[in-house]
């Protein structure tokens, strides 16, 4: 084991990885050049009347391509030894070859190759890609990623009887910024890794949405094929959900320990695992779009669509499955951390409200994720092993047939509560920021805290309202309709609290506060349109229409996206030590809010007019083309606003003015700690001596530093 670790940390291993990375980059570049050669160069020369033998053109192209490939691979390999360090490209190859991401991706690719090679040896001349060997390759690829990235190294050493110490700081001999590209156990580093990955995945999912929104702006098929549309909208759904889960992980990991006065998470290695296992899972989902004919099941993966057809569906299902490991591991960590690591004097009803929402979301993740894991496992087993869980076709006398609706029961028992995993931390951000910018105590603190638990618990009793049109008996429809209405009670508590907090406050409107107010307005749209879908008579007409799309986007944007952006702006000075550009922040807001109103309300309007969801084409006689164009323009405006935010945050982190220690005059523990936060958050332990939201009350104090012995 020690010999393996010594080799992996050697310059030669780094050079091999750099060379392999160079080979991948060179192969992609050659493929692009080949496409340009066959699509543009040869036809262009023919159009100009230049007559050259086709073989000569091909020979010249491949000679140049091989030279480019060799140059890149050799340069990358030598850069891995530290050569060309004075050049930017040489430093890129050198440092990239030392990152856990590159090692993990190469490990994932190598594992896939090994599994398929063994399959080839087994099948011989009959070798082909099947559900079985693709599923096996995908499963082992995740293990390969985790092994090569190093996230399992300490645990493996324990198996062989070696003691390991937690390493804090950058990898040995590497600059400090390499921590963010390596397996690190500090909760703040992991939180930032979650946040950056979330935004990158958000951009991928958003780009897919822009493509099919352009397609839907007019009847007929203009830009993409129907199969590509099906793959894009399916991938958009699951990729955006993965992005939101990553964003939740970012806020919870960065904020919860410091908010409760802890030095880190209870299980730092498990915390790192929860992030890094989500990377190969996301890669499986993205790669599913390009394998075979992609996947056209929607993000829900209902049988029988998911039990037959493209091999890409297997990768989607397993990517979804392994993403659940991140949720479960993170939930365990949060619950234990809050349970045993709170600062002295921090009783439950003295915790910041965001911590209450993190607990509630973690309860859902810990208890519900297993059910969707079971559902996904059964689909993969049906495809790969021939089992018939969801196949209603009789096999033989006395053999029970499968039940396709069983999948929906299992899926929605997880997937409706998981909506509250998305929105509860977002609602916690709203409740956290409103008192700061209103300079008033949070109205009804205890009720707001308990309402988060209420939402989590009631959320487990409403899943079947997604199945009202499945032929469910009224004896079940009516109870689930009533239980769904009950969710409005704890949610209404939060709205009343927000209004009570704003009433009579000395409100200021920096960018985080604007996004909080925008979140309230958008989430209200989602909240008001939800009961219409929870009521049986109206849901029977609107269930498969664009009304559902508008409602769901309003819930997700109001419950997570807007609060997430508010959180990015609000805690940006604490994370980077610099202030963002306020003008660009407000430009982002004033583009995004009206853009979203137009998009969401437009989607609901065309739903009422008969526009069905999940279709690539529609009848011009519906009369929705004008609104479809407005929705597409609104989506483009939202996309531009997000790019403005990215430019603002990246440029501000590099060169903006230094931020004050507590620019918002917040009482929360993270703003009392030094900026940037020390490795273990606080130079000295803290003690809670008051209530968290007593803004505007004279001589009120929330926390104090515990003096060291002898002070």
């Amino acid at each position: 084991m020690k010999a393996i670790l010594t080799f992996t940390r050697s310059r030669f291993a780094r050079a091999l990885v750099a060379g392999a990375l160079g080979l991948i980059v060179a192969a992609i570049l050659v493929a692009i050049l080949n496409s340009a050669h066959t699509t543009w160069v040869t036809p262009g020369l023919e159009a100009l009347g230049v007559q050259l033998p086709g073989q000569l053109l091909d020979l010249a192209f491949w000679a140049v391509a091989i030279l480019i490939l060799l140059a890149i691979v050799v340069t990358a390999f030598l850069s891995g030894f530290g050569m060309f360090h004075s050049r930017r490209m040489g430093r890129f190859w050198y440092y990239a070859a030392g990152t856990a991401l590159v090692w993990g991706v190469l490990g994932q690719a190598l594992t896939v190759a090994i599994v398929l090679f063994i399959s080839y040896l087994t099948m011989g001349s009959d070798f082909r890609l099947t559900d079985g060997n693709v599923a096996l390759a995908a499963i082992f690829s995740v293990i390969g990623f985790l092994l090569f990235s190093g996230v399992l190294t300490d645990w493996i050493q324990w198996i062989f009887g070696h003691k390991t110490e937690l390493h804090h700081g950058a990898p040995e001999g590497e600059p400090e910024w390499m921590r963010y590209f390596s397996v690190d156990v500090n909760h703040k580093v992991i939180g930032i890794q979650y946040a950056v990955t979330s935004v990158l995945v958000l951009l991928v999912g958003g780009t897919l949405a822009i493509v099919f929104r352009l397609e839907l702006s007019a009847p007929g098929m203009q830009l993409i094929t129907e199969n590509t549309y099906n793959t894009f909208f399916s991938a958009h759904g699951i990729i955006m959900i993965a992005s939101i889960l990553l964003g939740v992980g970012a806020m919870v990991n960065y904020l919860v320990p410091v908010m409760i006065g802890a030095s880190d998470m209870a299980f730092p290695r498990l915390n790192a695992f929860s992030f890094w296992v989500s990377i190969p899972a996301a890669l499986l989902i993205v790669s599913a779009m390009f394998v075979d004919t992609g996947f056209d099941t929607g993000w829900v993966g209902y049988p029988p669509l998911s039990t037959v057809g493209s091999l890409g569906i297997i990768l989607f299902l397993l990517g979804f499955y392994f993403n659940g490991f991140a949720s479960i591991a993170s939930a365990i960590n949060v619950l234990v951390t809050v349970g045993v690591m709170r600062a002295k004097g921090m009783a439950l009803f003295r915790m910041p409200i965001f911590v209450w929402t993190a607990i509630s979301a973690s309860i859902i993740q810990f208890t519900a994720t297993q059910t969707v894991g079971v559902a996904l496992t059964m689909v993969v087993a049906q495809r790969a092993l021939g089992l018939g869980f969801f196949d209603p076709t009789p096999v033989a006398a006395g053999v029970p047939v499968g039940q396709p609706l069983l999948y929906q029961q299992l899926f929605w028992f997880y997937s409706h509560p998981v909506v509250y995993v998305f929105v509860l931390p977002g609602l916690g951000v709203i409740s956290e920021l409103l008192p700061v910018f209103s300079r008033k105590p949070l109205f009804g603190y205890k009720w707001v805290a308990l309402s988060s638990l209420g939402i989590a618990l009631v959320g487990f009793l409403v899943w079947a309202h997604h199945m009202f049109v499945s032929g469910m008996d009224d004896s079940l429809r009516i109870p689930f309709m009533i239980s769904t209405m009950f969710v409005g009670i704890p949610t209404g508590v939060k709205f009343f609290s927000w209004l009570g907090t704003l009433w009579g406050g000395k409100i200021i409107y920096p960018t985080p506060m604007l996004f909080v107010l925008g979140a309230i307005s958008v989430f209200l749209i989602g909240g008001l349109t939800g009961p219409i879908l929870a009521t049986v008579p109206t849901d029977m007409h609107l269930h498969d229409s664009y009304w559902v799309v508008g409602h769901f986007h309003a819930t997700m944007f109001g419950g997570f996206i807007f609060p997430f952006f508010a959180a990015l702006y609000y805690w940006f000075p604490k994370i980077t030590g610099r202030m963002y550009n306020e003008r660009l922040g407000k430009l982002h807001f004033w583009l995004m809010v009206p853009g979203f109103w137009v998009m969401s309300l437009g989607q609901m309007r065309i739903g009422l007019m008969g526009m069905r969801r999940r279709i690539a084409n529609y009848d011009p006689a519906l009369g929705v083309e004008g609104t479809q164009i407005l929705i597409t323009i609104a989506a483009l405006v939202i996309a531009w606003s997000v790019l403005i935010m990215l430019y603002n945050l990246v440029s501000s982190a590099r060169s903006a003015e230094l931020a004050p220690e507590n620019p918002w005059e917040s009482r929360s523990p993270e703003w009392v700690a030094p900026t940037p936060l020390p490795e273990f958050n606080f130079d000295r332990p803290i003690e809670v001596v008051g209530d968290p939201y007593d803004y505007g009350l004279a001589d009120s104090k929330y926390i104090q530093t515990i003096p060291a012995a002898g002070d």
Side-chain angles (χ1 to χ4, degrees), residues 493-505:
V493 168
K494 293 187 181 295
F495 274 98
F496 280 115
S497 169
W498 298 337
L499 293 175
T501 304
L502 289 169
W503 187 268

Side-chain angles (χ1 to χ4, degrees), residues 14 79 85 90-99 173-175 177-178:
R14 192 169 194 148
S79 296
H85 213 62
R91 290 195 300 274
F92 167 78
W93 294 121
Y94 178 81
Y95 287 119
T99 63
E174 305 288 2
W177 57 264
M178 278 289 284

Side-chain angles (χ1 to χ4, degrees), residues 465-485:
H465 71 233
H466 293 274
M467 301 170 60
F468 284 162
V469 299
S470 66
M472 181 184 298
D473 190 84
D474 285 343
S475 62
L476 287 176
R477 282 190 183 129
I478 294 172
F480 277 107
M481 178 178 71
I482 295 171
S483 65
T484 304
M485 296 299 181

Side-chain angles (χ1 to χ4, degrees), residues 315-364:
L315 301 183
F316 151 64
L317 294 171
L318 289 171
F320 194 166
Y321 176 87
F322 281 108
N323 201 53
F325 279 88
S327 292
I328 295 171
S330 181
I332 293 170
N333 229 340
V334 171
L335 293 173
V336 176
T337 301
V338 176
V340 303
M341 297 182 69
R342 298 194 306 277
K344 181 181 178 181
M346 185 174 282
L348 290 178
F349 287 111
R350 282 184 165 181
M351 294 190 305
I353 207 70
F354 180 82
V355 179
W356 277 97
T357 58
I359 292 172
S360 303
S362 297
I363 291 172
I364 297 172

Side-chain angles (χ1 to χ4, degrees), residues 358-392:
I359 292 172
S360 303
S362 297
I363 291 172
I364 297 172
Q365 287 178 287
F366 180 57
T367 55
T369 307
Q370 292 87 344
T371 58
V372 77
V374 168
L376 296 169
T377 301
M378 292 165 75
V379 176
V380 174
Q382 179 166 325
R383 292 191 59 142
L385 303 177
L387 303 179
F389 297 113
F390 310 115
D391 185 359

Side-chain angles (χ1 to χ4, degrees), residues 19-212:
L21 178 61
L23 180 62
I24 293 172
V25 172
I28 294 172
L29 180 60
V30 168
I32 294 172
L33 292 175
N34 184 45
S35 177
H37 166 66
T38 57
T39 306
W40 296 319
V41 175
T42 302
L45 291 175
E46 292 176 354
L48 293 173
V50 178
Q51 297 294 327
L52 291 174
Q55 292 180 343
L56 180 61
L57 277 176
D58 290 341
L59 183 63
F61 167 78
W62 285 110
V64 172
I66 291 172
L67 287 175
I68 292 174
L69 190 147
L70 288 174
I72 292 176
V73 172
V74 170
T75 302
F77 180 76
L78 295 178
S79 296
F81 284 107
M83 300 176 64
F84 310 117
H85 213 62
S86 60
R87 298 181 179 274
R88 182 176 298 178
M89 187 55 68
R91 290 195 300 274
F92 167 78
W93 294 121
Y94 178 81
Y95 287 119
T99 63
L101 178 63
V102 169
W103 276 81
V105 170
L106 290 177
Q108 191 169 15
L110 181 62
T111 310
V112 169
I114 291 172
V115 171
L116 294 182
F117 180 69
I118 293 173
S119 178
Y120 170 75
L121 294 179
T122 304
M123 299 174 69
S125 59
D126 295 329
F127 172 77
R128 68 187 189 285
L129 292 179
T130 65
D131 290 335
N133 57 28
V134 169
L136 202 63
I139 292 169
F140 277 96
S141 77
V142 175
I143 299 172
F145 183 102
L146 296 175
L147 285 172
F148 275 67
S149 66
V151 73
L152 302 179
T153 299
D154 281 1
W155 293 333
I156 293 174
Q157 289 194 78
W158 294 353
I159 293 173
F160 288 94
H162 303 295
K163 291 184 178 180
T164 60
E165 298 292 334
L166 275 178
H167 175 79
H168 291 274
E172 186 177 350
E174 305 288 2
E176 183 68 17
W177 57 264
M178 278 289 284
R179 296 185 69 174
Y180 300 97
F181 298 92
S182 307
V183 175
D184 198 283
V185 295
N186 186 280
H187 76 96
K188 298 179 291 295
V189 174
I190 294 171
I192 292 171
Q193 289 173 328
Y194 266 116
V196 172
T197 308
S198 172
V199 173
L200 292 176
V201 174
L202 179 77
L203 292 176
V204 174
T207 300
L208 295 175
I210 292 299
V211 173
F212 65 72

